[in-house]
Amino acid sequence: MTNTATTAKPSSNSATPATENGALASTQGVTTIADTVVQKVAGLATREITGVHALGGGAVRAFNALRERIPGATASAGQGVSVEVGERQAAVDLQIVVEYGVAIADLAKSVRRNVIGAVEQMTGLEVVEVNINVSDVHIPGDDDADEHTESGRVQ
């Protein structure tokens, strides 16, 4: 058996392309952005838009409501946000609850624009897509009605 040396081919995750033309890499080093950073930036940028009531599905929101009742615990800024982060690009998936009466198509445009702007400005990553899943519509007064029905018929 002969031992042949093979030359390693650069993988798609190689830092070489980013070093040549990316904002996060230079001849002096490479900056890596964690997924959770992009997730939090996208979540906060989404919450800034008027008409977004909450992020996440019903189970996630219920879990975070319980977590908020624990002293010292806070809701996650990345709730309802999932991301894929590469060396130069990021993709964002959002699950949101909208306020009743808001034009969802216009809201989606505003959210998408704000998320892309915030992520690109703060991280230097190119956002290739922002997918928005509207999972519910919040009707004003629903929260108050739920609290009153849980008390029971007899007081």
Side-chain angles (χ1 to χ4, degrees):
M1 229 181 192
T2 56
N3 194 0
T4 58
T6 59
T7 306
K9 295 180 181 177
S11 69
S12 61
N13 293 335
S14 171
T16 305
T19 304
E20 293 171 0
N21 60 4
L24 296 173
S26 71
T27 57
Q28 298 171 325
V30 177
T31 302
T32 304
I33 308 290
D35 291 9
T36 55
V37 172
V38 176
Q39 184 181 25
K40 286 180 181 181
V41 170
L44 293 169
T46 301
R47 285 179 178 87
E48 290 176 352
I49 303 300
T50 303
V52 174
H53 178 71
L55 278 98
V60 172
R61 290 194 325 269
F63 174 74
N64 280 325
L66 288 174
R67 191 166 84 179
E68 286 177 356
R69 293 181 181 183
I70 299 170
T74 58
S76 171
Q79 170 186 321
V81 182
S82 62
V83 298
E84 285 185 49
V85 180
E87 291 176 9
R88 294 179 289 176
Q89 297 179 329
V92 179
D93 295 323
L94 303 169
Q95 187 170 8
I96 65 173
V97 177
V98 300
E99 295 287 345
Y100 176 76
V102 173
I104 295 174
D106 294 339
L107 178 70
K109 282 181 193 175
S110 297
V111 167
R112 195 170 280 116
R113 182 177 30 245
N114 205 45
V115 168
I116 290 170
V119 171
E120 288 184 350
Q121 190 250 337
M122 290 189 70
T123 67
L125 295 167
E126 174 193 8
V127 178
V128 293
E129 65 181 19
V130 176
N131 298 310
I132 301 171
N133 176 23
V134 178
S135 61
D136 201 357
V137 175
H138 177 260
I139 301 169
D142 269 359
D143 296 334
D144 297 336
D146 290 343
E147 290 175 11
H148 294 300
T149 57
E150 290 178 13
S151 64
R153 298 186 316 172
V154 180
Q155 292 184 2

